[in-house]
Amino acid sequence: MRVTMCINLITSFGEFLGVSTKKPFCMKILKFLSFSALTLCAALTISSCEHEKHFLKEKAYRKQVHEQFEKRKAQAQGRSEALFSVLEKGSTSLEQREALEFLYAYMPLCDLADYSGEFFLKQVDAAFNARSYFSWGKIVPDDIFRHFVLVYRVNNEYLDTARIAFFEELKERVKDLSMYEAALEVNHWCHEKVAYRGTDSRTSAPLALVKTSWGRCGEESTLTAAALRAVGIPARQCYTPRWVHTDDNHAWVEAWIDGQWHYLGACEPEPELDAAWFTGPAKRAMMVHTVVFGLYNGPEEKNLETPLYSKINLLERYAATRRVEVRVVDEDGRPVEGARVQLKVYNYAELYTIAETVTGKDGAASIISGKGDLIVWASKNDRFGYQKSEAGSEAATLVRLNRRAGLTYEENFVVNVPPEQAVKELPADKIAANACRLTYEDSVRNAYMSTFIKEDEARLLAKQHGLNPDEAWKYLNLAQGSWREVKDFITQNRRNPDLFPFLASLAAKDLRDTPAAYLSDHLQSRGDFRAKSGTPSSLIVPYILSPRIDRELIKPWRSYARQQLSADRQEAVRSNVGLIVDYVKSEIKIKDEENYYNCRITPQGVYELKIADRRSRNIFFVAACRSFGIPARIESSTGKTQYFESGQWVDVMFEPDSSLNLPKAGLMVDNAPDNLTKPGYYTHYTLAYFKDGDFRTLDFEDSPQVAQFPYAIDLDEGYYRLMTGSRANDGSVFVHTEYFTLKKAAPARVTVRLPETEGKLFVKGIVDMNTVVALTGGAKATLKDLSKGKGLTLCFLDMGKEPSKHILQDLPAVREDMDAWGGGVLLVVPDDKATAASAIAAFKGLPQSTSQAIDSHRELLRAVTGALQMDFNDNFPLTVYLSRNGGILYSAAGYRIGTGEEILKTIRKESR
């Protein structure tokens, strides 16, 4: 632009002097002037560029980022215009371009595939805007800003414009606060919007979560980190991948404040940072980590470093640690280089990997972990080995690769966990003031939730449109804040006979974050295709019409897919599924490691990018089949991709894999008659198959196939492990494993036998059973009355916090057994926590004998904790089991999973 201006000025100047451009001498003068002007303009342009502000200030780092960017740009050429047109120099500054290059260089495949350059430019501008708007933006170091503010993604959530919306809503609320105060205030704002409730593993986008008003901890922490970044406060989501003292995991947030990282419970504000209900459990953790986007040079130890991201170890900030040293040798005792080493903990009846690394030339590796027992698992090629690393051992754990598939044997071992640690209690006045704020914030959220459709309104709507009122209310209620979208979908498709079966094929979360137009794209497609010949009618809705395939976000891929093929070509595909298989094998490149957040790529994104992780590739295949009338699925228990043909499901083989299309072998599973409780899948036992040096758990959670003992299932021929565990009251686990081979010619039979926990029941303290409590509704009763001559389970709850809600999710699982037992259950809320007591009503399926009470001045709570001689420190929930004489036979405080089962085991042991 400057060059053009200079030429125009010279030409005009020549005309002003009367110099003719047609005379040779005059032309020489103009050429000289033009050359001089161009030289001057070029110098001015270079000077201007030099004065533009770099985002990546370190030259060597900038070079590394640019080289990586060029690789990703070449890789994403299928979406070049959509992604990279925003980088044109005339429309963006140097700072913007460098920030975009950083994002493009390291973003996971799902982002390259499914979003536009305009979207990412808006994210960059929003981050820069927050940095300049808030006073603390000036003190955030460049590298901290780059990795923990600029980056638009927190974990595996689907992306939206939350950063922009949250900034607008929060800026006036926090702009005059200190950075510390602002972090606390943002979390209070998050609590106004969202509270904890368990849900499936797909992570909702932050705006979708706000619309719903509740979510699991992974979603709450994603929301909170996004909100903090929206106001320029560096934030990251932290995970303990699995606890060891109990089942399950947890996620929270760390915020960088005035030069230091502090933790906070997402959507669970406390009066101070570094205070949360999980402070105690985190002191017993074996791993806390976070994923850092991009080339990161921070001070934390890296469990894993790749060209695109790092996984950093944060455990030392929370718990006492030890460095687990490992040596891997072959059968002859020689060091094994390049062996995969996994640290595993027992959780949900499987050995779950919490960290992994690779051995060096000396066969050695090390990882920082906690002060509990670990199973160190090592493998290379067809050999594997494992060894328990005990908490008190300082010696290196020696693992010999002396095992291979096919060996039949059984083992028993005990996994000990880190002991409970004392937690500093916050000042009482701060707790009280914070409780008042929480009460107000609950009222704000509840006021919003009161705008959701009511049952009488849903039934009236159904009547007006001639629909089943029970079905209409069911799905409108499940939709929560998205009920208007579902209402529009239902009314628009009210005459479609597949309407309610179609809705039944979806996950509950789909109803909360899928626009009506997207759902209609799928349901209304039935008139646009012909199902493959021979397809049973029962398969059409769940495996053709339904857009629900795996855990991906629903998009309108069906109409897009059909636009890519002519009618004749569609018919050819319908007649020959092999054409789709061949296309996928030849055109879609697999790069699992580059979709590192494991957020599924949409089918359209896979088609355009032509690169995917295996799971997204499989979803693409199923979506393509369904688009053209071919029943297809990802089988839930094994994860295999299949299509239906000639009366059976056919496994799809995209790459050579001996586990596909194997003969089926029968397995009979029995329940040992002396088990104290009925074993539950994932609660007490799992089945896993051997592949690539490790065992992979079969996912039979909530499957009717394993609901009743004995049961028979057909599995692929192969090598399997049955793992059974019993968790003791201190969190330790007694484990039994059985390794066996399945062959079609020799069906197998295994028995689930729960290991006995060592030690007998003993009375921990005595509570007066004549104590009178005030029940909800105004009645009064003694603990003796409520025990019904059997015994009484007392649960002291703080319904404003996640752990108390877990016990209410555990109890329905044992309702049948508790009802048969006939004793009582009393849910007790201290009067200073009573404002959140109404949340109990949301939990259904509690034992029939469940009562509720408000504990005035914590009198009953003090009696119980006094009998236990414990420092409670508000470590809710506190659950105790009282014998009919008031003896405390069981107690558990704080966060844990499976409390209902533990109570049931105590009851059964007592009755022996």
Side-chain angles (χ1 to χ4, degrees):
M1 185 176 178
R2 289 194 173 115
V3 173
T4 303
M5 289 176 62
C6 289
I7 292 172
N8 289 339
L9 285 170
I10 292 300
T11 303
S12 299
F13 183 62
E15 291 173 351
F16 174 75
L17 293 176
V19 177
S20 172
T21 56
K22 295 181 180 180
K23 296 180 179 181
F25 175 72
C26 294
M27 281 297 295
K28 288 182 179 179
I29 294 174
L30 285 176
K31 285 181 180 179
F32 172 76
L33 291 171
S34 298
F35 176 77
S36 301
L38 288 170
T39 303
L40 176 62
C41 288
L44 290 171
T45 301
I46 292 170
S47 176
S48 174
C49 288
E50 288 176 347
H51 283 87
E52 275 197 89
K53 186 178 180 181
H54 279 290
F55 172 66
L56 303 173
K57 296 181 175 62
E58 298 176 19
K59 188 174 181 180
Y61 190 89
R62 187 164 65 243
K63 182 174 183 290
Q64 284 180 292
V65 170
H66 183 70
E67 290 173 353
Q68 179 63 25
F69 163 72
E70 290 294 340
K71 292 178 185 177
R72 302 306 293 289
K73 186 177 180 182
Q75 189 179 51
Q77 58 185 328
R79 303 195 72 239
S80 181
E81 178 65 23
L83 286 168
F84 307 120
S85 60
V86 295
L87 290 170
E88 294 176 4
K89 292 185 179 181
S91 59
T92 53
S93 68
L94 179 63
E95 191 176 29
Q96 286 173 313
R97 291 195 300 277
E98 288 185 355
L100 282 168
E101 284 199 7
F102 172 76
L103 296 180
Y104 286 134
Y106 302 110
M107 65 177 55
L109 289 177
C110 55
D111 300 345
L112 283 174
D114 286 331
Y115 302 92
S116 69
E118 290 294 338
F119 174 86
F120 295 119
L121 180 57
K122 288 178 180 177
Q123 299 292 317
V124 168
D125 289 344
F128 288 169
N129 184 38
R131 180 172 61 178
S132 63
Y133 186 87
F134 297 104
S135 59
W136 49 80
K138 301 179 182 64
I139 68 168
V140 176
D142 290 340
D143 61 334
I144 297 294
F145 178 86
R146 181 170 65 235
H147 293 285
F148 304 111
V149 177
L150 174 71
V151 175
Y152 52 86
R153 175 178 288 287
V154 177
N155 195 335
N156 61 349
E157 75 277 14
Y158 287 87
L159 304 179
D160 59 19
T161 56
R163 184 198 291 266
I164 299 166
F166 292 175
F167 172 84
E168 291 299 327
E169 191 163 343
L170 282 164
K171 62 181 181 180
E172 295 301 319
R173 186 163 170 168
V174 302
K175 70 175 183 178
D176 295 324
L177 301 177
S178 70
M179 200 176 188
Y180 187 101
E181 292 167 337
L184 291 173
E185 190 63 29
V186 168
N187 203 21
H188 277 289
W189 178 86
C190 291
H191 180 245
E192 289 178 11
K193 302 295 184 182
V194 173
Y196 175 82
R197 197 184 302 178
T199 182
D200 69 39
S201 61
R202 176 166 69 81
T203 303
S204 291
L207 289 176
L209 192 69
V210 168
K211 195 172 187 180
T212 296
S213 78
W214 51 267
R216 55 180 170 79
C217 62
E219 293 171 314
E220 290 180 302
S221 50
T222 295
L223 167 75
T224 305
L228 288 165
R229 291 181 186 182
V231 296
I233 297 176
R236 59 195 185 191
Q237 182 190 58
C238 303
Y239 252 106
T240 179
R242 288 293 189 272
W243 298 113
V244 288
H245 67 283
T246 186
D247 287 336
D248 214 346
N249 61 2
H250 190 56
W252 58 89
V253 172
E254 286 187 347
W256 187 94
I257 307 295
D258 300 324
Q260 292 185 329
W261 288 101
H262 299 267
Y263 68 85
L264 61 156
C267 302
E268 297 178 326
E270 297 285 354
E272 297 177 2
L273 298 176
D274 298 322
W277 66 261
F278 57 82
T279 299
K283 289 179 179 292
R284 308 175 76 182
M286 298 295 286
M287 180 56 61
V288 177
H289 64 214
T290 190
V291 171
V292 184
F293 181 111
L295 181 62
Y296 180 65
N297 298 318
E300 302 91 348
E301 173 159 306
K302 295 178 181 177
N303 284 348
L304 176 68
E305 183 174 22
T306 78
L308 300 183
Y309 72 98
S310 296
K311 187 174 288 187
I312 60 175
N313 190 331
L314 304 174
L315 184 64
E316 290 177 309
R317 293 176 36 76
Y318 297 93
T321 63
R322 63 186 176 111
R323 182 169 288 279
V324 180
E325 303 281 357
V326 179
R327 286 188 61 239
V328 180
V329 298
D330 62 18
E331 290 183 291
D332 297 321
R334 294 171 298 194
V336 177
E337 179 183 5
R340 182 187 184 194
V341 175
Q342 300 164 278
L343 301 190
K344 292 176 177 283
V345 299
Y346 179 96
N347 191 287
Y348 279 134
E350 64 179 350
L351 293 180
Y352 187 89
T353 300
I354 59 169
E356 65 178 86
T357 187
V358 176
T359 56
K361 290 183 179 180
D362 57 355
S366 70
I367 298 176
I368 292 175
S369 188
K371 295 275 191 174
D373 292 350
L374 289 160
I375 302 300
V376 179
W377 192 281
S379 61
K380 186 174 183 180
N381 301 325
D382 63 338
R383 298 298 177 94
F384 70 97
Y386 53 89
Q387 188 67 41
K388 186 168 81 167
S389 172
E390 297 187 351
S393 174
E394 298 296 329
T397 301
L398 181 67
V399 182
R400 193 179 299 274
L401 301 185
N402 59 353
R403 300 179 188 271
R404 68 187 75 181
L407 297 174
T408 300
Y409 61 99
E410 297 183 32
E411 283 184 329
N412 294 291
F413 58 92
V414 179
V415 179
N416 293 301
V417 302
E420 289 190 69
Q421 302 290 322
V423 176
K424 180 182 177 181
E425 192 170 358
L426 294 174
D429 58 335
K430 285 191 173 184
I431 293 174
N434 192 61
C436 290
R437 286 207 64 179
L438 297 181
T439 299
Y440 168 74
E441 291 155 12
D442 287 337
S443 72
V444 172
R445 186 180 347 97
N446 291 335
Y448 163 67
M449 294 178 69
S450 71
T451 66
F452 297 174
I453 193 168
K454 309 297 189 297
E455 183 173 359
D456 58 343
E457 297 170 339
R459 291 183 177 277
L460 178 60
L461 177 74
K463 183 178 179 181
Q464 291 170 341
H465 293 287
L467 296 168
N468 183 315
D470 293 334
E471 293 287 279
W473 165 237
K474 174 183 177 181
Y475 294 111
L476 287 166
N477 184 41
L478 286 172
Q480 298 287 280
S482 192
W483 67 268
R484 290 181 179 86
E485 290 288 340
V486 173
K487 173 189 172 184
D488 289 345
F489 173 71
I490 287 175
T491 55
Q492 291 165 10
N493 296 278
R494 60 189 179 276
R495 294 186 177 87
N496 192 318
D498 295 320
L499 171 61
F500 289 125
F502 176 86
L503 288 172
S505 75
L506 306 178
K509 188 173 287 182
D510 298 334
L511 302 171
R512 302 196 294 270
D513 63 5
T514 309
Y518 290 11
L519 295 176
S520 292
D521 175 77
H522 296 281
L523 178 60
Q524 294 174 8
S525 68
R526 184 161 189 174
D528 300 329
F529 71 87
R530 181 170 56 82
K532 183 178 178 64
S533 178
T535 299
S537 59
S538 61
L539 299 185
I540 290 177
V541 172
Y543 300 119
I544 297 180
L545 286 180
S546 178
R548 170 52 50 226
I549 299 173
D550 186 45
R551 292 294 190 189
E552 76 287 0
L553 184 70
I554 290 178
K555 290 284 189 174
W557 41 260
R558 196 180 302 266
S559 57
Y560 176 85
R562 288 201 299 273
Q563 290 169 10
Q564 311 309 311
L565 297 182
S566 65
D568 290 343
R569 189 63 176 163
Q570 290 183 36
E571 185 58 39
V573 165
R574 191 160 33 249
S575 302
N576 183 4
V577 186
L579 294 174
I580 303 179
V581 176
D582 291 342
Y583 175 86
V584 172
K585 291 171 69 173
S586 64
E587 298 297 324
I588 309 301
K589 296 179 181 177
I590 298 301
K591 291 185 178 292
D592 286 321
E593 69 284 355
E594 293 198 17
N595 203 29
Y596 53 91
Y597 277 114
N598 293 318
C599 185
R600 307 303 184 217
I601 307 172
T602 66
Q604 181 174 340
V606 172
Y607 181 79
E608 292 179 354
L609 192 64
K610 300 291 191 293
I611 307 171
D613 59 286
R614 282 176 171 79
R615 198 70 172 186
S616 297
R617 183 266 319 271
N618 296 347
I619 292 170
F620 171 79
F621 171 81
V622 173
C625 287
R626 292 186 183 183
S627 296
F628 305 124
I630 303 164
R633 69 182 185 183
I634 295 177
E635 202 278 320
S636 60
S637 62
T638 62
K640 289 187 175 183
T641 306
Q642 300 174 326
Y643 64 89
F644 191 83
E645 188 172 69
S646 302
Q648 62 181 355
W649 288 102
V650 180
D651 296 340
V652 180
M653 186 182 298
F654 291 120
E655 50 261 317
D657 189 330
S658 60
S659 71
L660 291 171
N661 296 314
L662 288 170
K664 298 293 183 182
L667 176 66
M668 179 67 71
V669 182
D670 291 316
N671 179 22
D674 55 345
N675 284 336
L676 291 175
T677 187
K678 178 184 174 183
Y681 200 85
Y682 278 129
T683 304
H684 303 103
Y685 77 100
T686 56
L687 291 163
Y689 67 98
F690 185 76
K691 184 177 181 179
D692 298 332
D694 196 7
F695 283 87
R696 304 185 184 189
T697 301
L698 296 169
D699 188 2
F700 286 114
E701 185 176 18
D702 300 325
S703 172
Q705 290 180 273
V706 301
Q708 298 295 331
F709 290 100
Y711 62 83
I713 50 175
D714 289 330
L715 302 172
D716 288 338
E717 286 190 341
Y719 190 45
Y720 288 83
R721 179 181 68 200
L722 168 67
M723 176 165 285
T724 309
S726 296
R727 193 178 291 276
N729 196 30
D730 65 353
S732 61
V733 187
F734 293 74
V735 183
H736 174 77
T737 58
E738 184 175 344
Y739 296 81
F740 60 96
T741 300
L742 275 182
K743 289 287 187 182
K744 182 178 181 180
R749 189 167 197 139
V750 294
T751 298
V752 178
R753 190 179 304 278
L754 299 180
E756 283 284 339
T757 56
E758 295 179 5
K760 297 180 179 181
L761 287 171
F762 65 97
V763 176
K764 298 183 174 185
I766 302 292
V767 174
D768 183 2
M769 294 298 282
N770 294 311
T771 301
V772 177
V773 294
L775 301 179
T776 302
K780 293 185 177 181
T782 65
L783 298 182
K784 184 177 181 180
D785 295 333
L786 296 172
S787 73
K788 303 181 184 299
K790 300 280 187 178
L792 179 65
T793 299
L794 286 175
C795 302
F796 293 92
L797 309 172
D798 176 2
M799 290 306 297
K801 301 292 175 62
E802 176 184 337
S804 291
K805 297 174 184 179
H806 276 292
I807 180 63
L808 298 185
Q809 291 174 329
D810 279 349
L811 288 174
V814 296
R815 172 180 174 169
E816 184 177 339
D817 290 323
M818 295 287 278
D819 289 345
W821 163 60
V825 176
L826 180 63
L827 308 180
V828 186
V829 178
D831 56 0
D832 58 304
K833 305 288 185 182
T835 54
S838 61
I840 294 174
F843 294 86
K844 309 300 182 184
L846 297 171
Q848 292 178 359
S849 60
T850 301
S851 303
Q852 297 179 38
I854 300 297
D855 188 11
S856 178
H857 305 297
R858 298 195 174 198
E859 290 179 356
L860 181 58
L861 177 59
R862 284 202 301 270
V864 171
T865 55
L868 289 169
Q869 300 184 40
M870 68 180 296
D871 294 323
F872 180 54
N873 294 330
D874 270 17
N875 191 20
F876 291 101
L878 172 62
T879 303
V880 300
Y881 171 70
L882 307 178
S883 70
R884 61 181 178 272
N885 296 319
I888 301 176
L889 302 183
Y890 169 89
S891 66
Y895 177 83
R896 64 174 60 207
I897 301 296
T899 302
E901 287 289 347
E902 292 178 2
I903 293 169
L904 203 58
K905 285 191 284 187
T906 303
I907 291 169
R908 286 174 171 159
K909 286 183 177 180
E910 180 193 19
S911 64
R912 282 185 165 184

